[in-house]
Amino acid sequence: MNAFETNLYVRFGHVDPAGIVYFPRIYDYVHDVFEELWNEFVGERYYRMILEDRVGWPLVHSEVDFESPLHFGNRPLVAVTCFKLGRSSLGLRYRFSVDGRECVHARMTTVCVDLDTMKSREIPAAFRAKFETILEQA
């Protein structure tokens, strides 16, 4: 299966006194990877899409399973695949792993919206074509 992959770095400020990533930080990591996906994989500068094109992708549903903790100094590999590609909705799966061991499995659904009206809009064809290349097969 094709996936977009990138690495993160767990910094000292990301962990709690137990030495593991504090769970809300995972949402920050997912959003960091989401922005990188746009910039590196889709080829669209995320900030430009938001500020100039006025196209947004608000989160409408999320699920996160924590399989194993992430620790200070880890460099998790994050693999992103698309599990849903609707008219305006986009479902992305994020798998965080360290040394081949899955640590976090997140599923996030966003909706393509016109930021001036906050109404859903069809995912542009060029974006859809990119996400089809990482679409999971049923």
Side-chain angles (χ1 to χ4, degrees), residues 8-41:
L8 297 174
Y9 183 68
V10 177
R11 300 183 184 284
F12 180 73
H14 299 172
V15 299
D16 61 18
I20 61 175
V21 171
Y22 183 50
F23 74 91
R25 174 68 66 177
I26 296 301
Y27 281 91
D28 291 332
Y29 286 162
V30 166
H31 190 75
D32 290 347
V33 172
F34 185 70
E35 285 190 34
E36 188 160 334
L37 175 86
W38 283 99
N39 294 336
E40 301 299 324
F41 176 74

Side-chain angles (χ1 to χ4, degrees), residues 9-129:
Y9 183 68
V10 177
R11 300 183 184 284
F12 180 73
H14 299 172
V15 299
D16 61 18
I20 61 175
V21 171
Y22 183 50
F23 74 91
R25 174 68 66 177
I26 296 301
Y27 281 91
D28 291 332
Y29 286 162
V30 166
H31 190 75
D32 290 347
V33 172
F34 185 70
E35 285 190 34
E36 188 160 334
L37 175 86
W38 283 99
N39 294 336
E40 301 299 324
F41 176 74
V42 178
E44 179 65 45
R45 302 311 273 175
Y46 187 73
Y47 70 87
R48 197 194 68 68
M49 182 173 48
I50 299 286
L51 297 175
E52 296 175 19
D53 294 343
R54 306 295 295 150
V55 174
W57 299 87
L59 181 67
V60 296
H61 183 77
S62 68
E63 296 177 38
V64 180
D65 294 316
F66 300 91
E67 305 295 333
S68 179
L70 293 170
H71 297 275
F72 169 59
N74 284 158
R75 298 223 18 126
L77 174 68
V78 184
V80 182
T81 56
C82 180
F83 68 85
K84 178 182 181 182
L85 188 56
R87 184 192 77 78
S88 61
S89 63
L90 175 64
L92 297 176
R93 183 180 319 272
Y94 301 79
R95 286 188 163 92
F96 292 65
S97 62
V98 174
D99 299 327
R101 172 183 42 87
E102 188 168 297
C103 300
V104 177
H105 179 191
R107 291 157 304 282
M108 304 289 166
T109 302
T110 60
V111 173
C112 184
V113 299
D114 176 316
L115 287 172
D116 294 323
T117 65
M118 289 308 289
K119 300 236 185 271
S120 70
R121 55 166 287 176
E122 188 170 346
I123 296 172
F127 299 165
R128 177 177 298 283

